[in-house]
Amino acid sequence: MHIDQSILDKVNEWLTPTFDNDTQNQIKEMMTTSPKNLEESFYKNLEFGTGGMRGIMGVGTNRINKYTLGKNTQGISEYLKKSFPGEDLKVVIAYDCRHNSDTLGKVVADVFSANGIKVFLFSEMRPTPELSFALKHLNCHAGIVLTASHNPPEYNGYKVYWQDGGQLVPPQDGEIIEVIERLKYSEINFEANESLIEYISTEVDEAFAESTVANASFNTSASAKAGLKIVYTSLHGTSIKMVPSVLAKAGYTDVNIVPEQAEPNGDFPTVVSPNPEEPEALTMALALAEKLNADIVFGTDPDSDRLGVAVRDTQNNMLLLNGNQTMVIMTHYLLEQWQKAGKINGKQFIGSTIVSTPMMLELASAYNVECKVGLTGFKWIAKFIKDFPELQFIGGGEESFGFMVGDAVRDKDAVGAILLMCEIAAQAKENNSSVYEYLQQMYVDYGFYKEHLISLTKKGIEGANEIKQMMVDLRENPLAEINGQRVIMVEDYQNATAKNLLSGEVETLTVPKSNVLIYYLEDGSKICARPSGTEPKIKFYFSVNCAIESLSDLPEAEKQLDQKIKNIIAEMQLN
């Protein structure tokens, strides 16, 4: 096959003595046996996306390896020195259960130390939210976690956190990328200064656990905690390091761990995907819940920032909640608790994202707090906390199964969210109610919102081009009517415009630019198209709603909303 000369130039660079013999031999093998794989490995440089940098592990500029991560780290080292002149620089590094995460974590530590920067390196895998906590706890300038979240086993990744404990956001991200791109691979300093690398362990665990219990506990009685039967699975990931101990510290005694999934394993052998967004991932946990007649089920992704939740419905059947539902349940409960404590005075806010349920806006209005809505990714919610120090952050989430309780952790945090959901469930059960009934009453009080997600996977160069073309088509040929409803507004975040199709008025969007399109229909429906920032996917988000007067209206309203979503999907030819 023909390979573009620009790709061959990169390949030839990687065949120089700057790169080790093993790397060169793997490239030579690909040149003779798999030119297609060679092209995929070098056709572009890995980029920072919604949740940092993620990619397939292997050799090449488009792969996760010691050189691509070393170059990132060298660039960040130089940027830190420029940003904090004269300061004794400190960074903290964590890693998850994935293959090579520990060795890649040590490579990153080596490069920082080689550049004279003090490194705190977790001695074993730890949850991503603990890295965010540790950064502030240890008064560091930056933090790195090696993780590919819920991606398949062949992936790994590199997430960068800044002084506030949140992920990189503008302008730092762009400035750092510029520094990284100017570097040559030969400029990476891999020669570790071991005296600058300090291994950390239980002392940070204990501080993180204490902080979590303080932030996510709300006066639940000991008897209510003892009466809640919990099933929990780590899906072979890092949450096993903290969730059981945090629940025990908080007083929950009936915690039943799925034994087959408790052992960390980067192959994730018992699931197709280690993603609690996928119902299949919780199959074993649900089976254990039925066996034990448990009240609630939790599952976390490999780095423990996302959580899946299942609860009993009114027929005593286990029901998987989606991310929008868990988000509004936890947010509403927090708002209730803050109001009861007399802590709401108009100077508080909750956080959400542009692809998440509009129900968050209704909750904010009802409790006289602001709802700040940002782009997809918790780094934007963390940025709100940093940008508005005069406001108190209560909590916030996004539809992709993430939530953040307070501001001690500046990223989605399954550890704290699990404890919060236990508080809600235990108190509801003690009052002869349930999480499910709590949610149903919210639908009566604030409107019945129903969301659905379609995710289309398009791998490789062809897939990337196909996704690009889909977005071009939606922009150049915008839909004027969907399912018999006029499109009244189109928000184009790439062009930073919001166009009212009825009046023709165009407003400027104030959030950072992003490749996202949102259609608003005259009946309140919302449709969003967004290429993933970390996976070879394009995602379509659907939100529909209606008002209901009583709980008895729910079954018929749900049928109607389900049908509306089906009609929209069919008309957009996405099924």
Side-chain angles (χ1 to χ4, degrees):
M1 63 175 286
H2 171 74
I3 297 179
D4 190 83
Q5 185 59 47
S6 62
I7 295 174
L8 292 175
D9 290 343
K10 290 183 183 179
V11 170
N12 287 329
E13 181 189 358
W14 280 58
L15 291 173
T16 63
T18 295
F19 300 85
D20 60 47
N21 289 333
D22 183 51
T23 295
Q24 293 185 51
N25 289 335
Q26 287 184 58
I27 293 170
K28 290 172 184 175
E29 175 75 12
M30 277 196 290
M31 291 174 75
T32 56
T33 63
S34 183
K36 178 66 175 173
N37 191 19
L38 184 76
E39 183 182 47
E40 292 281 356
S41 298
F42 283 93
Y43 84 95
K44 66 174 184 176
N45 295 340
L46 272 183
E47 299 170 345
F48 282 91
T50 312
M53 177 180 281
R54 287 186 215 164
I56 295 169
M57 289 178 279
V59 299
T61 60
N62 189 34
R63 295 289 183 258
I64 295 286
N65 52 65
K66 66 178 285 188
Y67 297 103
T68 52
L69 298 192
K71 193 176 178 185
N72 286 352
T73 308
Q74 183 67 40
I76 293 168
S77 298
E78 296 184 10
Y79 186 82
L80 283 167
K81 290 176 183 179
K82 178 183 172 184
S83 300
F84 305 102
E87 295 190 30
D88 293 328
L89 297 172
K90 296 184 290 185
V91 300
V92 58
I93 301 169
Y95 54 87
D96 69 4
C97 60
R98 288 179 176 273
H99 298 304
N100 304 315
S101 280
D102 53 351
T103 54
L104 289 170
K106 181 59 166 66
V107 166
V108 172
D110 289 349
V111 175
F112 276 128
S113 70
N115 282 276
I117 296 171
K118 167 74 175 179
V119 179
F120 296 99
L121 175 62
F122 276 98
S123 57
E124 294 178 294
M125 67 172 201
R126 288 296 188 279
T128 287
E130 187 171 355
L131 181 280
S132 173
F133 172 84
L135 201 162
K136 292 198 295 174
H137 179 70
L138 297 169
N139 198 27
C140 291
H141 296 81
I144 307 290
V145 62
L146 283 300
T147 176
S149 188
H150 57 282
N151 284 61
E154 65 269 23
Y155 281 75
N156 214 317
Y158 182 95
K159 289 168 78 170
V160 185
Y161 293 77
W162 212 237
Q163 258 190 318
D164 64 320
Q167 286 185 58
L168 277 183
V169 291
Q172 282 89 1
D173 57 355
E175 292 169 358
I176 287 174
I177 289 167
E178 282 184 18
V179 175
I180 292 168
E181 288 180 345
R182 283 199 301 266
L183 283 171
K184 297 174 182 173
Y185 286 102
S186 58
E187 296 178 90
I188 305 168
N189 189 346
F190 286 110
E191 297 300 318
N193 180 346
E194 296 291 347
S195 67
L196 289 176
I197 301 175
E198 179 180 335
Y199 290 89
I200 54 175
S201 184
T202 54
E203 65 277 13
V204 178
D205 295 343
E206 289 166 6
F208 177 53
E210 286 178 12
S211 172
T212 302
V213 172
N215 282 325
S217 296
F218 291 91
N219 302 313
T220 304
S221 69
S223 59
K225 290 176 180 179
L228 186 70
K229 188 178 287 290
I230 302 161
V231 165
Y232 152 72
T233 176
S234 60
L235 296 179
H236 305 288
T238 60
S239 69
I240 198 72
K241 291 287 185 182
M242 289 306 303
V243 168
S245 57
V246 164
L247 290 179
K249 191 178 187 71
Y252 288 91
T253 54
D254 199 350
V255 180
N256 304 275
I257 299 171
V258 177
E260 301 91 338
Q261 297 176 326
E263 188 68 30
N265 188 329
D267 287 324
F268 313 112
T270 64
V271 290
V272 175
S273 169
N275 184 0
E277 289 182 273
E278 303 290 341
E280 179 276 335
L282 295 184
T283 300
M284 296 179 81
L286 291 170
L288 182 59
E290 293 301 345
K291 180 180 176 183
L292 301 176
N293 194 30
D295 300 300
I296 193 163
V297 169
F298 297 107
T300 57
D301 67 345
D303 68 325
S304 187
D305 57 2
R306 298 179 187 223
L307 79 158
V309 182
V311 297
R312 298 276 178 192
D313 66 14
T314 51
Q315 306 302 311
N316 203 41
N317 297 314
M318 268 291 167
L319 174 76
L320 287 166
L321 300 176
N322 64 42
N324 285 301
Q325 291 172 320
T326 57
M327 170 171 57
V328 296
I329 289 167
M330 287 188 276
T331 301
H332 185 242
Y333 178 82
L334 288 173
L335 289 167
E336 281 184 321
Q337 299 306 311
W338 277 61
Q339 188 178 69
K340 283 179 186 175
K343 295 197 297 182
I344 292 181
N345 59 9
K347 294 183 180 180
Q348 290 74 35
F349 78 98
I350 58 176
S352 185
T353 70
I354 58 174
V355 299
S356 299
T357 178
M359 190 172 178
M360 289 289 280
L361 299 169
E362 297 297 325
L363 294 178
S365 176
Y367 282 88
N368 190 34
V369 301
E370 190 175 348
C371 182
K372 292 190 176 296
V373 180
L375 296 176
T376 305
F378 262 71
K379 62 186 179 184
W380 302 109
I381 296 178
K383 188 175 187 295
F384 289 141
I385 297 172
K386 183 171 65 172
D387 289 349
F388 297 93
E390 72 279 9
L391 298 179
Q392 291 176 287
F393 176 69
I394 294 174
E398 63 180 358
E399 57 75 39
S400 61
F401 287 58
F403 198 80
M404 186 161 66
V405 186
D407 63 2
V409 170
R410 303 290 177 93
D411 203 350
K412 49 183 174 281
D413 175 12
V415 183
I418 284 174
L419 177 54
L420 179 61
M421 282 298 291
C422 286
E423 295 283 284
I424 299 168
Q427 291 181 16
K429 186 178 181 181
E430 188 177 46
N431 293 321
N432 298 312
S433 183
S434 69
V435 172
Y436 182 74
E437 291 172 277
Y438 184 80
L439 176 63
Q440 285 189 310
Q441 188 58 49
M442 286 173 59
Y443 288 147
V444 175
D445 295 340
Y446 305 104
F448 186 17
Y449 285 78
K450 187 131 197 193
E451 280 78 29
H452 184 71
L453 169 67
I454 287 181
S455 185
L456 305 177
T457 300
K458 309 282 185 181
K459 293 185 178 180
I461 301 171
E462 294 85 353
N465 290 333
E466 193 175 343
I467 288 171
K468 185 177 180 181
Q469 190 58 47
M470 290 174 81
M471 293 301 291
V472 168
D473 292 342
L474 283 169
R475 282 193 171 89
E476 293 183 352
N477 304 293
L479 300 167
E481 185 178 289
I482 303 172
N483 191 34
Q485 296 289 322
R486 288 182 298 174
V487 177
I488 60 172
M489 176 81 74
V490 178
E491 291 178 344
D492 187 340
Y493 286 81
Q494 185 162 278
N495 298 324
T497 59
K499 183 175 183 179
N500 185 315
L501 300 189
L502 303 183
S503 67
E505 292 181 21
V506 178
E507 295 182 13
T508 300
L509 296 171
T510 56
V511 300
K513 291 186 178 183
S514 182
N515 189 14
V516 181
L517 276 171
I518 300 182
Y519 289 84
Y520 295 91
L521 311 188
E522 57 187 335
D523 66 352
S525 299
K526 173 183 168 184
I527 301 156
C528 171
R530 170 186 163 265
S532 171
T534 51
E535 300 172 272
K537 294 179 178 180
I538 182 168
K539 297 183 177 183
F540 292 88
Y541 306 79
F542 307 90
S543 178
V544 295
N545 68 85
C546 65
I548 55 173
E549 295 187 2
S550 68
L551 292 174
S552 61
D553 295 336
L554 267 171
E556 182 58 33
E558 185 158 28
K559 284 182 188 175
Q560 291 178 5
L561 293 183
D562 282 341
Q563 189 59 51
K564 183 176 285 189
I565 290 172
K566 286 179 183 176
N567 292 345
I568 292 171
I569 291 169
E571 188 160 324
M572 294 183 70
Q573 299 180 341
L574 296 173
N575 48 1

